[in-house]
C-alpha cells in the first residue's frame, strides 16, 4: 500500500545535494519505517506525512526499503533503487584516464631525468677528453723538454722557449675548457666575443679578418654542447690558418637562416696549405660536429680553403 512514485529507479543527479522523498498510504497509518541498506541496517521512523530527506549521498547505487511498523513480511515492503549519479571526475573512466596521464607524466619526468644524467655524463666525458687531448699533450711536451735540458746539464734557450710556449698553450686550453662549461656563458654574445678575441690574438698582423654575423638578432641563449664544440672547431681552424699561411685573407661568417645555421671559415691558401688539415685536427673537428648533431664540410679549391658547419636553426 506504500508508494513513492511510479519510477523504477530514483535518480539523484550531480549537484543535487538535497533530495526529499514523500510517501503515501492508507489513512489509518500514521508512521512508516525506512532504511537504506547500504548506509545502515537500522530502521528509522517518520510520520507518513513527513518528508524523508536524503543529504549529500555519495555517488553509487542504493536500495531504499520502506514499511509500516506492523508489517514484517518483506513482500509488502516498498523497495526502490536509488542511483546517485557521479560527476564526471568521480567516474572510474575519469580516474583511469587520470591515472594514465599521471603515469605518462611520471614516465616523461623519468626520461627527462635520465636525459639530464646522460648529459652530465657526456659533459664529464667531454671534459676528461679535452683535458687529456689539450692539456695532456702540452704537459708531455713540457716534461720531455725539461728532461732534455736536465740531460744537457745546461741552459738551452730554445728548450726554454718551447717550455714557455707549451705552458702558455696549456693555460689557454684550461681557460677555454672552463669557459665552455660555465653556464653563465651560455649565450651567443659570449661565443661571438670569444671567437673574435681568439681570431684577433692568433691572426693579428698575420691576416686580414672579415667577421660577419647574420640572423642572430633574436637569439639569446645557446646549449652548452653547441657553444663548446663550435668554439673548439673554430679554435682548431684558426690555429691551423696561423700555422700554415702567410698573409691570408680570412672570412668568418655566422649565418642563421630558416634553412638552418651555418658557421663558415674561409681563407686564401698557398700550395702547402693542402696538407694543413690532414691528420688528427680534421678528425677532432668531425668528432665535435657529430657531438652537436651537425655536419662538417671541408673544401679546398680555387685558392680558397673553407670549413662549413651546418646544423639546425638557432
Amino acid at each position: 500500500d506504500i508508494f513513492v512514485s511510479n519510477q523504477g529507479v530514483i535518480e539523484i543527479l550531480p549537484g543535487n545535494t538535497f533530495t526529499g522523498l514523500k510517501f503515501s498510504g492508507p489513512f489509518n497509518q500514521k508512521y512508516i519505517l525506512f532504511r537504506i541498506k547500504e548506509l545502515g541496517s537500522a530502521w528509522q521512523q517518520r510520520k507518513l506525512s513527513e518528508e524523508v530527506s536524503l543529504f549529500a549521498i555519495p555517488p553509487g547505487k542504493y536500495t531504499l526499503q520502506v514499511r509500516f511498523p506492523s508489517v514484517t513480511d518483506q513482500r509488502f515492503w516498498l523497495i526502490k533503487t536509488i542511483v546517485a549519479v557521479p560527476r564526471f571526475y568521480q567516474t572510474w573512466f575519469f580516474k583511469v584516464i587520470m591515472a594514465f596521464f599521471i603515469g605518462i607524466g611520471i614516465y616523461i619526468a623519468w626520461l627527462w631525468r635520465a636525459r639530464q644524467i646522460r648529459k652530465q655524463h657526456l659533459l664529464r666525458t667531454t671534459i676528461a677528453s679535452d683535458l687529456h687531448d689539450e692539456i695532456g699533450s702540452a704537459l708531455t711536451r713540457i716534461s720531455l723538454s725539461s728532461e732534455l735540458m736536465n740531460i744537457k746539464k745546461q741552459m738551452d734557450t730554445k728548450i726554454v722557449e718551447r717550455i714557455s710556449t707549451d705552458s702558455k698553450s696549456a693555460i689557454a686550453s684550461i681557460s677555454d675548457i672552463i669557459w665552455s662549461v660555465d653556464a653563465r656563458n651560455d649565450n651567443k654574445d659570449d661565443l661571438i666575443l670569444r671567437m673574435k678575441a681568439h681570431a684577433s690574438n692568433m691572426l693579428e698582423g698575420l691576416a686580414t679578418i672579415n667577421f660577419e654575423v647574420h640572423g642572430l638578432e633574436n637569439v639569446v641563449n645557446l646549449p652548452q654542447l653547441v657553444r663548446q664544440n663550435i668554439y673548439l672547431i673554430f679554435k682548431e681552424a684558426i690555429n691551423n690558418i696561423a700555422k700554415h699561411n702567410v698573409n691570408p685573407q680570412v672570412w668568418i661568417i655566422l649565418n642563421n637562416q630558416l634553412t638552418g645555421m651555418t658557421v663558415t671559415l674561409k681563407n686564401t691558401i698557398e700550395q702547402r696549405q693542402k696538407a694543413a688539415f690532414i691528420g688528427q685536427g680534421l678528425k677532432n673537428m668531425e668528432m665535435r660536429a657529430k657531438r652537436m648533431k651537425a655536419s662538417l664540410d671541408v673544401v679546398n679549391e680555387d685558392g680558397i680553403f673553407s670549413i662549413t658547419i651546418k646544423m639546425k636553426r638557432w
Side-chain angles (χ1 to χ4, degrees), residues 214-234:
H214 305 287
L216 293 178
E217 297 80 7
N218 298 323
V219 178
V220 181
N221 293 328
L222 294 175
Q224 184 272 335
L225 186 67
V226 171
R227 179 174 56 85
Q228 178 189 25
N229 286 288
I230 282 182
Y231 176 72
L232 291 177
I233 292 174
F234 171 84

Side-chain angles (χ1 to χ4, degrees), residues 275-314:
F277 280 94
I278 295 176
Q280 196 63 31
L282 183 56
K283 291 181 181 179
N284 286 339
M285 290 183 180
E286 291 174 342
M287 175 191 68
R288 295 190 185 283
K290 288 180 180 178
R291 283 181 181 175
M292 55 181 178
K293 297 180 180 179
S295 64
L296 183 74
D297 296 330
V298 179
V299 178
N300 184 359
E301 61 183 12
D302 299 330
I304 299 292
F305 187 89
S306 68
I307 296 175
T308 304
I309 307 168
K310 297 180 181 179
M311 67 188 73
K312 67 179 182 179
R313 177 180 168 83
W314 286 2

Side-chain angles (χ1 to χ4, degrees), residues 15-289:
N16 293 342
T17 56
F18 173 82
T19 300
L21 301 178
K22 290 186 177 182
F23 302 93
S24 299
F27 179 75
N28 61 340
Q29 296 290 343
K30 294 184 179 180
Y31 296 96
I32 60 169
L33 299 176
F34 77 93
R35 68 182 178 185
I36 297 177
K37 287 181 63 178
E38 290 76 13
L39 299 181
S41 59
W43 292 92
Q44 300 184 48
Q45 181 174 287
R46 289 285 190 282
K47 287 185 177 181
L48 181 61
S49 60
E50 291 180 344
E51 184 178 83
V52 174
S53 300
L54 304 179
F55 182 76
I57 294 183
K61 188 175 181 180
Y62 303 91
T63 303
L64 172 68
Q65 296 178 335
V66 186
R67 67 183 178 89
F68 292 125
S70 60
V71 179
T72 58
D73 190 343
Q74 189 171 345
R75 293 178 299 170
F76 301 103
W77 295 357
L78 170 67
I79 300 176
K80 285 282 187 179
T81 298
I82 299 176
V83 176
V85 180
R87 295 179 185 270
F88 76 95
Y89 56 79
Q90 295 174 316
T91 62
W92 279 107
F93 177 76
F94 178 81
K95 292 177 181 178
V96 170
I97 293 296
M98 286 303 299
F100 173 76
F101 282 109
I102 290 173
I104 291 294
I106 293 173
Y107 178 68
I108 291 174
W110 177 82
L111 282 181
W112 179 85
R113 179 58 181 163
R115 191 175 294 114
Q116 293 299 111
I117 293 174
R118 284 197 297 269
K119 285 182 178 179
Q120 292 176 5
H121 288 173
L122 177 60
L123 178 60
R124 291 168 61 182
T125 303
T126 302
I127 293 173
S129 175
D130 290 340
L131 287 173
H132 179 271
D133 296 340
E134 301 288 336
I135 311 303
S137 59
L139 295 179
T140 300
R141 290 194 300 271
I142 292 171
S143 176
L144 292 175
S145 298
S146 301
E147 288 293 332
L148 182 59
M149 189 184 299
N150 187 45
I151 292 171
K152 290 186 175 182
K153 301 295 184 181
Q154 62 181 1
M155 182 67 67
D156 189 318
T157 305
K158 291 183 178 180
I159 295 178
V160 172
E161 290 178 354
R162 191 185 309 159
I163 291 174
S164 175
T165 301
D166 289 338
S167 300
K168 291 177 181 179
S169 175
I171 292 171
S173 296
I174 291 173
S175 175
D176 289 338
I177 292 172
I178 293 173
W179 173 84
S180 67
V181 299
D182 191 339
R184 293 172 296 180
N185 300 322
D186 283 347
N187 60 80
K188 67 102 174 3
D189 292 330
D190 279 328
L191 174 62
I192 292 173
L193 288 174
R194 188 92 177 174
M195 292 170 73
K196 287 181 176 179
H198 183 72
S200 178
N201 290 337
M202 294 299 297
L203 302 177
E204 185 176 8
L206 301 177
T208 303
I209 304 174
N210 302 282
F211 204 108
E212 300 178 19
V213 178
H214 305 287
L216 293 178
E217 297 80 7
N218 298 323
V219 178
V220 181
N221 293 328
L222 294 175
Q224 184 272 335
L225 186 67
V226 171
R227 179 174 56 85
Q228 178 189 25
N229 286 288
I230 282 182
Y231 176 72
L232 291 177
I233 292 174
F234 171 84
K235 178 183 174 183
E236 182 83 22
I238 293 296
N239 291 349
N240 276 277
I241 291 173
K243 289 178 183 178
H244 301 284
N245 286 273
V246 178
N247 297 324
Q249 286 196 13
V250 179
W251 293 267
I252 303 166
I253 305 169
L254 281 69
N255 192 8
N256 189 41
Q257 301 298 327
L258 292 176
T259 54
M261 176 67 187
T262 59
V263 179
T264 305
L265 292 92
K266 299 191 297 184
N267 62 278
T268 56
I269 58 174
E270 297 177 357
Q271 291 298 319
R272 61 188 177 126
Q273 178 70 20
K274 289 182 178 179
F277 280 94
I278 295 176
Q280 196 63 31
L282 183 56
K283 291 181 181 179
N284 286 339
M285 290 183 180
E286 291 174 342
M287 175 191 68
R288 295 190 185 283

